[in-house]
Amino acid sequence: MEINAPAYKGIKRYQDGDNAMLRKVILESTPKAVEQMCKYAEQFRGKDDLETCRNIWNFLKTRIRYVADQEYQIVRLPSALLKTKEGDCKSYSVFTSAVLQCLGIPHHYMMTSYNKSNPTPSHIYVMTDSGIIIDAVWHSFNSEKPYAYVYKIKPYKTISK
């Protein structure tokens, strides 16, 4: 599937920000991401929600190279993700959430920690309200790495500090 990228806008970089600030940036970026993707979201629609989610996962897995952030934490809006063709879980999740919102599929962000002694989230992906998992960082569609802690957050709600 080819997608025509919207105009290149939107890389937010953060250095020395705490995890709560980063989560806030992700949520604040989501409405702009939706605005960018509604024109393109139909390209991902399948015969049902499962196929639609698989289309999104396949696109991210095969067309966008996973690159972990280094010095700066980067949240790419869909236009930047499509332009650079690289991103990490934050950018994948913002993209996925935007497409799902445009297609009217209810979902939430899954912010997870894999450290039993530290509940601070270190990963983010998307799950539909019906339970379909879209984590293009993980090796298989509709599955997830077992976590120690999870925070489920609707993309249109604001996280307080």
Side-chain angles (χ1 to χ4, degrees), residues 47-64:
K47 68 181 185 293
D48 55 23
D49 287 355
L50 184 65
E51 185 176 88
T52 298
C53 293
R54 184 184 306 275
N55 291 342
I56 297 166
W57 186 87
N58 282 333
F59 179 83
L60 291 169
K61 200 74 171 164
T62 62
R63 303 295 176 96
I64 308 295

Side-chain angles (χ1 to χ4, degrees), residues 16 22 35-36 38 47 89 121 139 146 153 161:
D16 301 327
L22 194 55
E35 190 178 298
Q36 289 181 355
C38 281
K47 68 181 185 293
C89 63
H139 56 79
I153 300 173
K161 292 181 181 179

